[in-house]
Amino acid sequence: MGDRIYLDHAATTYTKPEVLEEMLPYFTKQYGNPSSVHSFGRESRKAMDLARERTAKALNANPNDIFFTGSGTEADNWAVKGAALANRKKGNHIITTTIEHHAVLHTCNYLEQNGFDVTYLPVDEYGIVDAEQVRNAITDQTILVSVMTANNEIGTIQPIKEIGAITREKGVLFHTDAVQAIGSVPIDVDDMNIDLLSLAAHKFYGPKGIGALYIRKGVKAQQMLHGGAQERNRRAGTENLPAIVGLGKAIEMAALDIPGHNARLEALRNRLITGILSTVEHARLNGHPEKRLSGNVNFCFEFIEGEALLLSLDIKGIAGSSGSACTSGTLDPSHVLLAIGLPHEIAHGSLRLTLGEQNTQEEIDYVLEVLPQLVQRLREMSPLFNQQKGGQIFV
Amino acid sequence: MYSEKVMDHFMNPRNVGEIENPDGVGEVGNARCGDIMKVFLKVENDVIVDVKFKTFGCGAAIATSSMSTELIKGKTIAEALEVTNKTVAESLDGLPPVKMHCSVLAEDAIKAAIEDYRKKHHQ
């Protein structure tokens, strides 16, 4: 066990050495522009083609339908804005959910200011979207449904295949933000009837600053970046080749080992969840007990505030995250925690611990050893928590 | 993001707790916003002889509670009223801009406790 424990893999992962190794030659030796005619350019083009094939294979997609972007956020923006604007003549209605990432939610807000109507579907107490609600929300004006594959905060996995079947039946485009899901949830864009899919390499042990958007052949999505003819004339800008190579390698590794990855992480995750529930009173597991990402643990601890707990954990060498207002930079706690029905005061006390491939059982046991004490210390300072003889009385 | 002093007061907060039969109590903030500060005063001959606090909130909220109680302990009521949010923040070697409201809350909590003391003692 090292001196620090990283439990924030949903924020970002490290880059695997195998991935970095494949990337390195493309900085210093094979640095040609993939658009160039000469041999330098051709070598780069070849490397980019391989990365595209690997990405397509991981999604059971056609390589021609994979477009590299600068981030998952860019892919989400392109999918939602691009599909909305390109299909404006068919209708102006978009359906999404209240628990999407801000890259989708704020893009939808922007479209609302520009003449589109957006339905934000609610979720149940576990954060799951009801596919039948998607069906019922579709009108003759609906052009796009956007539902994330798995939630970044509480890890809930959505019924993507069911929703895809409905959108296909109704003739509406279906986008899914799969940024958190790649490597944990098997994806098959044909089987799941996905028309647009966003992903980002740094969530599955690839580099930061590179994402991709899958756009099914024939699906119209307006171009966002205008300029050169890169990405089959749909996304201008010289390609970030080392990062693209890294994405290709990372997604190949991630897609090959989904069952193994999930088995390893689930064992640690369940140990952490069970341990917290048995040692900390008034702790609430957020998200679904089973339909959740293998690496996601999200709790609310009543009577305390999340940022104070994060700082306490950080001093003990444990890195996590929280959906408290103090960590979101606004006065409100996480929109996801509010959407699953938590009152503000409880949502402020959230802690997300997200596991990765290097975490060990020893590390989890260390967390379980220190976390209850840290929660208790903050509770003893909290006016919401009063200890009385033989029990607790809550003001 | 936090100064060493903020971290020190967060990790080793001074004057945490409650006072039995306090001469004044002030509670500000609310759980909905994620910040509550409760300050208890013991006053003798117009001097704050003891002060305790309980806080629900972030690291800065706990640190400003701790620092503000330290600043008024042993002071007269008039002196305590001169402690502003700026004094609290400066004594902690500054706060990040988004956390300045915590120092305002600390000042408000002390003022509310003194107000309560004055009401109870008809001053």
Side-chain angles (χ1 to χ4, degrees), chain A residues 303-305 307-309 311-312 315 325-327 329 331-333 344-345 348-349 377-386 395, chain B residues 1-2 7 10-13 16 18 27 31-38 53-60 62 98-99 101-102:
Chain A
F303 322 116
I304 63 171
E305 194 276 338
E307 191 233 45
L309 183 57
L311 283 176
S312 310
I315 289 161
C326 269
T327 53
L331 283 177
D332 285 322
H344 277 68
E345 52 270 35
H348 282 298
R377 185 183 89 92
L378 293 173
R379 281 181 174 170
E380 276 164 11
M381 272 192 254
S382 169
L384 300 174
F385 181 80
N386 276 346
V395 184
Chain B
M1 118 184 186
Y2 286 136
M7 287 310 290
F10 169 67
M11 283 313 291
N12 311 293
V16 181
E18 296 183 17
E27 184 174 323
R32 199 183 148 80
C33 298
D35 279 317
I36 300 177
M37 283 185 200
K38 199 169 179 181
F53 81 87
K54 282 218 160 167
T55 290
F56 161 76
C58 63
I62 290 167
V98 292
K99 299 289 184 179
H101 74 277
C102 293

Side-chain angles (χ1 to χ4, degrees), chain A residues 25-52 68 231 238-242 244-245:
Chain A
Y26 297 94
F27 286 104
T28 51
K29 294 189 182 76
Q30 290 167 259
Y31 49 80
N33 188 322
S35 301
S36 298
V37 171
H38 47 63
S39 64
F40 291 84
R42 289 198 303 276
E43 282 169 11
S44 294
R45 167 70 57 182
K46 211 175 150 190
M48 202 166 71
D49 287 346
L50 174 64
R52 206 182 302 280
F68 295 115
E231 297 299 282
T238 296
E239 301 87 346
N240 183 356
L241 188 64
I244 288 172
V245 167

Side-chain angles (χ1 to χ4, degrees), chain A residues 301-323:
Chain A
F301 300 105
E302 288 184 58
F303 322 116
I304 63 171
E305 194 276 338
E307 191 233 45
L309 183 57
L310 283 190
L311 283 176
S312 310
L313 285 164
D314 188 43
I315 289 161
K316 297 281 183 187
I318 301 165
S321 76
S322 170

